[in-house]
Amino acid sequence: MSIFIGGAWPYANGSLHIGHIASLLPGDILARYYRQIGEKVLYVSGSDCNGTPIAIQAKKEGKNTKEIADYYHKEFEYCFQKLGFSYDLYTRTDSYEHSLNIQKILNELYDKNLLYSKKTNQAFCIVDNQFLPDRLVEGYCPNCGTPARGDQCEKCSTILDPIELKNKTCKLCGNPPEIRQTEHLYFKFSYFQKDIEKYFENAKTKYKWRPNAINITNRYLKEGLRDRAVTRDLSIGVDVPIKGFENKKVYVWFEAVSGYLSASKIWGDLHNKDISLWWSKDTISYYIHGKDNVPFHTLIWPTIMKGLNMHSLPKHIVSSEYMTLEKKKISTSKNWAVWIPDLIEKYHPDSIRYFFTINAPEYKDADFSWREFFYSHNSELLGAFGNLVNRTFKFIEKYYSYDIPNVKSNENLTNKISLLYQELSVKIENAHLKHTLEEIFELVRETNQYFDKEKPWITIKENKEKCDETISNCILVIQNLAQLLHPFLPFSTNEIKSMLNLSDYSWSPILSIPNRLEYVKTLFERLDFKSIEEEHYKLLNEV
């Protein structure tokens, strides 16, 4: 079985924040799980280096767009690496190879008569003497009335044409723009209405789409798919390879979603691999993103794929709700955010991964608070999982001189563990990652209770056979916990693998007991709750 996983492409115009990680982390968990069970996985993403946000940031900092894109792309790579994201390829949209792939896609659609030219009205700023990219047009959503910008309302997820905004202003100078005529290439989305309706009805039930993906997609289909421009008057981006439109750039929404195929081709060329394995009708695909990106993955990308006569339409849509910060909406413009470069330098990567999985915004908005972050680390990660491993391993070190007692495993326990692998596979493959982690930690707590109940510190003196059985059972559970938790907590579970000298993790019960502990190391350090006030002070004073 082949597994394709595509993570949404963050704009390279500013640092990653906790909202990005909350929505993107499921992709890495899924990729690690499927590799662990032995499937062929291709997991790709990259930095969006062509969007208007990069041009805005460059102007703000007095730099050119490449300097901005280079800086943040490098920072993104570092952050993802520190957090253990296991992309097969993390690329960028301003690469030569990506541009070439996007131009080929555009040419193919044009040759199939799926693109047509159309004169249209577009916002033009007479002060800045330019047609305004979507994100430079600000106003109010005509659908819900909230402040909006660009081509989509963040509040109600309506896809917009910027000229539809009420009380429009130019983001650069604040003046109302004029409406002038220009010519663009349009893609015949409306032609595929029936095809996408049929695809949607099948996919939403078979692959158990999340409610936000179903509701948003259903709304757009009821309104009817509209033809959309695939070109824009921009200063940066992929050049349009079609005669008469050489001075235009490919619209970023078209380019970014097509980037999943482009990144796959780049990876295939780098490794001399045939990527058709990951782009066949039998491929199981996962698209990982926030709910604001739902229509781009459930409508726009499938329609482009239909136009290209591709049969590997998106199957699993893993669309997260929003992550708030201390009960308030994250705002990068107001600096109300916790930035990932800061977080990864101060806290254990598995602590970050654990929090954003156990508190994942899978079906409703979730909140990040420093108090909850510290609590989840100290009480759950260190106090439950870390404590179970540490108390068991320290006991073996002290009373058994690193030799592990090997007693025949309890049949009920081995059956329970075997059944857990089967149950959790179903949950993970349906992207119910929060519930999966909760169930694994239920076993962590049960095993801690078992340790307390059996009192090995007493039985080691009074009934050594009983003590041997207790410790052997704890080791049996711990090594399986480590294997089950590996997709979620790769750093600490790799440490356990080294301490127990286990072979590579798979997805079948480990029923043999290792002979000896190689060494003992504490997995997690306690976080000082006094630091919460420091984090609050920093957050409040950076706004």
Side-chain angles (χ1 to χ4, degrees):
M1 188 163 65
S2 60
I3 310 296
F4 175 81
I5 302 170
W9 302 55
Y11 279 121
N13 70 319
S15 296
L16 297 169
H17 57 68
I18 55 174
H20 292 113
I21 298 306
S23 64
L24 293 176
L25 182 56
D28 183 65
I29 295 170
L30 287 162
R32 287 179 174 276
Y33 161 76
Y34 274 112
R35 292 192 193 106
Q36 201 167 310
I37 69 173
E39 303 296 356
K40 295 179 175 64
V41 175
L42 180 56
Y43 177 31
V44 301
S45 185
S47 303
D48 190 337
C49 299
N50 286 333
T52 303
I54 291 94
I56 295 172
Q57 190 65 26
K59 186 169 184 176
K60 187 186 298 184
E61 295 188 25
K63 298 177 179 177
N64 63 50
T65 53
K66 189 176 187 308
E67 286 177 300
I68 296 295
D70 286 351
Y71 178 85
Y72 286 111
H73 174 70
K74 186 176 180 180
E75 185 181 274
F76 292 176
E77 286 186 312
Y78 177 74
C79 289
F80 286 131
Q81 180 266 324
K82 288 283 283 185
L83 286 171
F85 277 61
S86 56
Y87 292 116
D88 291 294
L89 180 71
Y90 186 81
T91 184
R92 53 193 292 169
T93 60
D94 58 354
S95 71
Y96 170 77
E97 294 82 4
H98 174 77
S99 295
L100 203 61
N101 287 328
I102 298 302
Q103 288 174 336
K104 287 179 180 178
I105 291 172
L106 208 64
N107 275 325
E108 183 174 341
L109 294 176
Y110 186 76
D111 291 342
K112 290 182 174 181
N113 199 31
L114 292 172
L115 300 180
Y116 63 91
S117 64
K118 176 184 172 183
K119 290 183 178 178
T120 184
N121 292 325
Q122 191 173 334
F124 184 91
C125 181
I126 57 174
V127 176
D128 296 293
N129 193 34
Q130 67 175 77
F131 280 105
L132 294 176
D134 293 350
R135 281 178 169 257
L136 293 186
V137 184
E138 296 183 328
Y140 294 86
C141 175
N143 182 56
C144 68
T146 59
R149 68 179 182 189
D151 58 1
Q152 185 182 23
C153 175
E154 290 186 4
K155 177 72 174 177
C156 68
S157 296
T158 296
I159 295 179
L160 302 166
D161 187 314
I163 66 170
E164 295 173 341
L165 293 173
K166 305 295 185 184
N167 300 323
K168 293 179 287 297
T169 59
C170 169
K171 182 177 175 65
L172 296 176
C173 66
N175 290 296
E178 290 184 351
I179 304 301
R180 293 190 180 180
Q181 195 175 72
T182 185
E183 189 172 7
H184 287 296
L185 284 171
Y186 276 70
F187 180 66
K188 296 180 180 178
F189 279 101
S190 58
Y191 178 79
F192 295 94
Q193 174 83 27
K194 295 290 185 186
D195 288 331
I196 299 302
E197 285 176 352
K198 184 177 178 181
Y199 153 70
F200 172 60
E201 288 303 318
N202 177 57
K204 72 178 181 180
T205 52
K206 185 174 181 180
Y207 298 105
K208 298 179 176 63
W209 284 10
R210 291 179 176 176
N212 57 18
I214 293 172
N215 293 337
I216 292 171
T217 306
N218 188 54
R219 193 186 86 211
Y220 280 116
L221 286 172
K222 282 186 175 180
E223 292 173 358
L225 296 181
R226 295 186 297 174
D227 294 353
R228 284 173 59 86
V230 298
T231 61
R232 267 297 183 258
D233 296 291
L234 297 168
S235 58
I236 60 171
V238 176
D239 293 329
V240 177
I242 294 166
K243 187 176 180 180
F245 294 87
E246 296 89 347
N247 62 336
K248 310 279 185 179
K249 304 292 184 184
V250 178
Y251 207 165
V252 69
W253 63 259
F254 177 92
E255 174 208 336
V257 293
S258 301
Y260 296 118
L261 178 59
S262 173
S264 301
K265 288 181 176 180
I266 294 170
W267 176 85
D269 290 342
L270 285 171
H271 298 277
N272 196 27
K273 296 280 189 179
D274 179 6
I275 66 163
S276 62
L277 177 67
W278 291 277
W279 290 92
S280 75
K281 63 180 178 62
D282 298 321
T283 298
I284 302 298
S285 58
Y286 291 83
Y287 287 85
I288 319 296
H289 50 83
K291 75 172 182 180
D292 53 335
N293 279 328
V294 164
F296 300 99
H297 293 86
T298 65
L299 296 169
I300 290 176
W301 179 223
T303 307
I304 293 170
M305 296 175 84
K306 282 282 186 182
L308 297 170
N309 199 30
M310 297 173 64
H311 303 291
S312 51
L313 299 182
K315 292 185 171 69
H316 293 278
I317 300 296
V318 186
S319 44
S320 296
E321 295 288 332
Y322 294 129
M323 176 65 68
T324 57
L325 170 59
E326 303 286 358
K327 304 297 184 183
K328 291 166 59 178
K329 182 181 178 181
I330 293 171
S331 173
T332 56
S333 61
K334 296 177 181 176
N335 210 22
W336 186 255
V338 172
W339 304 102
I340 299 305
D342 296 334
L343 202 62
I344 60 176
E345 293 306 318
K346 297 173 70 174
Y347 302 102
H348 195 293
D350 279 350
S351 184
I352 298 168
R353 291 174 67 106
Y354 178 80
F355 181 89
F356 287 111
T357 305
I358 209 71
N359 297 285
E362 288 186 355
Y363 291 94
K364 62 180 181 179
D365 291 353
D367 186 63
F368 177 96
S369 76
W370 280 111
R371 184 164 297 280
E372 285 301 316
F373 179 73
F374 274 53
Y375 176 82
S376 80
H377 173 91
N378 286 347
S379 178
E380 299 163 21
L381 203 55
L382 179 147
F385 179 51
N387 179 51
L388 173 62
V389 174
N390 191 59
R391 73 197 303 201
T392 304
F393 287 9
K394 283 289 187 183
F395 193 90
I396 293 170
E397 177 187 33
K398 180 177 180 179
Y399 292 105
Y400 291 88
S401 300
Y402 294 94
D403 290 327
I404 299 173
N406 193 337
V407 177
K408 184 179 179 181
S409 300
N410 180 289
E411 188 174 345
N412 289 335
L413 180 59
T414 57
N415 288 341
K416 179 178 181 177
I417 290 171
S418 298
L419 184 62
L420 191 60
Y421 279 90
Q422 298 172 35
E423 292 175 349
L424 296 183
S425 280
V426 175
K427 290 181 186 291
I428 293 175
E429 289 172 19
N430 284 307
H432 300 315
L433 306 180
K434 177 179 179 177
H435 292 156
T436 302
L437 193 54
E438 287 173 343
E439 192 163 338
I440 297 172
F441 264 72
E442 187 58 38
L443 179 58
V444 172
R445 286 184 281 272
E446 287 176 6
T447 311
N448 269 317
Q449 290 167 2
Y450 169 78
F451 192 100
D452 292 337
K453 178 187 173 186
E454 296 301 314
K455 298 181 173 59
W457 59 91
I458 293 176
T459 57
I460 187 67
K461 301 169 185 175
E462 299 178 355
N463 186 348
K464 188 170 181 300
E465 286 187 4
K466 182 71 172 173
C467 183
D468 289 351
E469 180 184 356
T470 300
I471 297 304
S472 182
N473 283 338
C474 286
I475 290 294
L476 175 70
V477 174
I478 286 170
Q479 62 188 3
N480 281 285
L481 282 171
Q483 183 164 256
L484 290 165
L485 284 169
H486 185 63
F488 301 88
L489 311 174
F491 297 92
S492 54
T493 54
N494 276 338
E495 194 72 63
I496 293 172
K497 183 168 70 172
S498 296
M499 285 191 277
L500 290 174
N501 194 24
L502 300 173
S503 57
D504 288 342
Y505 289 133
S506 63
W507 200 260
S508 57
I510 309 173
L511 300 180
S512 60
I513 303 296
N515 294 322
R516 185 175 172 81
L517 267 175
E518 297 296 317
Y519 61 94
V520 177
K521 181 180 179 181
T522 302
L523 294 179
F524 306 104
E525 299 296 331
R526 184 168 297 277
L527 297 178
D528 186 349
F529 271 79
K530 293 178 181 177
S531 299
I532 295 175
E533 297 308 314
E534 295 175 12
E535 295 291 4
H536 279 156
Y537 179 83
K538 180 181 177 184
L539 181 62
L540 292 168
N541 283 273
E542 286 186 351
V543 176

